């Protein structure tokens, strides 16, 4: 069984972020494992100092994308 490294995981989070960016929904919930969420925060969301998630922790963010591309313009952690 091949083990995914941190860079491959981060690339997978970017693919999810691209899908989110293409969505017409105003609110989305992402439920997954803490490693994936950590790399989503540290990668596409740009929070390089993101801490590890605790067991059953919930984090809520408000994010805005810049123009027609898929770059994060603003990310604010609400909870």
């Amino acid at each position: 069984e091949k083990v995914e490294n941190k860079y491959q995981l981060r690339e997978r989070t970017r693919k999810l972020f691209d899908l989110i960016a293409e969505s017409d929904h105003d609110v989305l919930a992402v439920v997954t494992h803490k490693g994936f969420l950590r790399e989503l925060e540290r990668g596409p969301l740009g929070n390089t100092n993101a801490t590890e998630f605790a067991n059953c922790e919930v984090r809520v963010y408000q994010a805005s994308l810049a123009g027609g591309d898929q770059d994060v313009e603003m990310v604010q952690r609400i909870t």
Side-chain angles (χ1 to χ4, degrees), residues 8-42:
Q8 292 167 319
L9 178 57
R10 178 125 352 136
E11 177 58 29
R12 203 159 45 95
T13 66
R14 183 65 200 189
K15 290 177 182 178
L16 172 66
F17 184 79
D18 292 345
L19 288 172
I20 291 170
E22 294 170 4
S23 173
D24 292 333
H25 298 286
D26 292 331
V27 177
L28 295 167
V30 177
V31 179
T32 186
H33 59 84
K34 69 181 184 177
F36 188 88
L37 292 171
R38 179 194 63 235
E39 292 306 318
L40 180 64
E41 280 188 304
R42 291 180 182 175

Side-chain angles (χ1 to χ4, degrees), residues 3-5 7 9-12 19 24 27 30-31 34-35 44-46 58 60 66 71 73-77 79:
V3 176
E4 184 176 48
N5 67 38
Y7 303 104
L9 178 57
R10 178 125 352 136
E11 177 58 29
R12 203 159 45 95
L19 288 172
D24 292 333
V27 177
V30 177
V31 179
K34 69 181 184 177
L45 294 182
V58 174
V60 178
D71 290 329
E73 181 175 72
M74 182 277 305
V75 174
Q76 178 183 1
R77 184 172 170 187
T79 62

